[in-house]
Amino acid sequence: MDSFFRSEEMCLVQLFFQTESAHNCINELGHLGLVQFKDLNPGTVAFQRRFVKEVKKCEEMERILRFLENEVVKSNIPIPADFTSETIPVPRDVLDLESRFDKLEQELKEINSNRDTLRQNFTQLMEINHLLKVFDAFLFYPHDRFVAGVIKHERFPAFEKILWRLFHGNFVLRHAEIKPHEEENMADPVKKDVFVVFVQGDQIRGKIRKLCDGFHASMYPCPNNAYARKEMRTNVNTRIEDLRLVLKRTEEFRETTLTAAAANLQEWASKVKKMKAIYYTLNLCNIDITQKLIVAEIWCPVSDLNSVHTALIHGSEQSGSSLSPVVNRIQTQQTPPTFNRVTSFTSGFQSIIDAYGVGNYQEINPAPYTMVTFPFLFAVMFGDCGHGLVMTLLALWLILHQEHFRKLKNELIDMLVDGRYIIFLMGLFSIYTGLIYNDCFSKSFNVFGSSWSVRPMFHPHGPWTNDTLHDSGHLHLDPLVSGVYSGNPYPFGVDPIWNIASNKLSFLNSYKMKMSVIMGVAHMLFGVTLSLVNYIFFRNLKDVALQFIPEVIFMLSLFGYLIFLILYKWCVVMKSESAPSILLLFINMMLFDYSSEGTVLYRTQKPVQIFLVVVAVLMVPWLLFAKPLLLYRKHKFLSLLFCLSLFFGVKKAFVSLQVSMADIFVYQGIHTIEYCLGCISNTASYLRLWALSLAHAELSEVLWKMVLQVALRVTSGMGSVLLAVTFAAFAVLTVTILLVMEGLSAFLHALRLHWVEFQNKFYKGSGYKFTPLSFDRMRDMQ
């Protein structure tokens, strides 16, 4: 359980294994996915490493695999997602796959080249066939000087215009459009026109030919004799049929080749990635002088040392090595990487934390607490049990069909699937807070019966008469009248009578505002308390006295007292007209202003508040000067050594001491100012819980009153049709505005409250992540 609340304990391990068993050992470690290799050859040139050529071969094979995949996708051939587990890659696999891929690439390129040539010839024959078919309609009388060809349809108007400008009508132009369906076996049909230009003189015909070349028009010879044209058309049709058959056979052979390749594509890609990772990892290791022993250093969780040793022994046995691998745990002053072991349920919350910054080694992990506080703060802003139920059902759908959604390979869908449990908890908490707010699509439940009654307000028990109902626009329920208020609050959540009260908004404003302040201060105090856990774990006891204690006293003296005022005012019985404002009480407390009336909530309020403000002010110099002065006193003897022994090089140490002390003062000053002012700004920042909660409730109520309620009041014959259309609009607006936009807004605000207001109290997030060699992760990333 300790690894769940803080990063796992890591160790640096030195490995020794034989060269012939290197592939098998690293393959086993890659399947284990719990070791991160250190680079024992930092700064060396790439070609000085032993396995650079093998890595380049793997990269070349990856290029060929991408080429094969593109060809398979273009041909609409399905690629099987599942494949049988491949054998352990060995060095000879590189040569075998390389020769197979080269042969397959060369074969496909040759097939594609022949197919393109055949298609080009087929297109030319089709164009000649169409030209011969319409030539007799163009030929009014025998003419031996003409230019015939085919041009793209969009180029023909410009071609015709230039002909008229050059030859001023000294020609006859005829053209016809080739219908797209006649161009068979073309992947992307292009609209073209056949044309015949009849001219006088060979010189003009030569110019027209040059113009056709400029417009990339295809010119074809066409016999002047009708019988010759008929013979030529017969020959062209025969060649077309032959080419059509050859093209069909070529396509079938190409499809057979690609289908066979597609069946092994995933397995090949996985094997190449494995081999590339193995060779890349071997480049991080050292080889002894005898070239028979490989030395590696790895970061590994202490709890998994036995698993790592077992995997190495298994890999060595598979390769038939005579010596067992040696595993030595070594001491190091380097900071280990941060590793937080996660499950499918906790991975989404850990990703939220890591997006802020990877935690320092063994620093307390905020993820376990975020699993509760994040969806709860979201739900405070998104409190509606109806909307929460829709969100919960969406999350359940994602959870039950996660494998199907992952196959879609869509970035947005992948993000939703990765955060499916976050959405699920946000939906559940929203149902809970929605029940507390007594809101379901802006409507209230009356399950237990209201604690308020109108009947006792009427005569003879109360001041109301029948005339009162007709003459008053607003009626005020007086809880002092016997029987109006039962004395027992609504058992769970807000009393449903507030849903029809004219002062509902002002009541909820006050309630949610104070609730936000209470939760915000409690959340920040919890963050400061977690810093104490870090200090104790890292044995920084001086920080407990010099940082934690003054921070807690400062926050409790001011904002803890603010919570006390809110709770005290809720608990005592006071008339609303004479009840003092909490905000004014707090402002007057900071200004030491007690002259105005109505600022006293209890008898000893003035001395208590003066004492708390003085204590809070005294914490500022404690935070600002205590820690730097203690460090200065600790290193004061260095200045004495500097005065006595200048020639021993102590001067340099003293100068560095002066610089470090200045840095410490500046850093401590920044921290003190940031914390003291941050307590004020962060507390105010939690008011977003109140603001977004009211905004969500008001938007929901507006949608109900202006959309659905209008249709419910229609009593005509078309009312059912109008209700169906209106309900569809209501559902669309609810999903787009309230669930998507408001949900995203509440999510981002909850994220900010955790990153800025909560985590900065104890979480530095300046570590680096543990990135183990993991073949399973490589396969998931494909």
Side-chain angles (χ1 to χ4, degrees), residues 331-335:
Q331 300 295 325
T332 180
Q333 298 297 323
Q334 300 179 27
T335 302

Side-chain angles (χ1 to χ4, degrees), residues 528 530-541 543-544 547-548 551 761:
V528 176
L530 290 179
S531 69
L532 174 64
V533 180
N534 275 333
Y535 296 148
I536 295 175
F537 180 82
F538 292 112
R539 302 183 186 278
N540 294 332
L541 299 182
D543 286 338
V544 176
Q547 199 153 312
F548 170 73
E551 286 179 353
K761 302 293 188 298

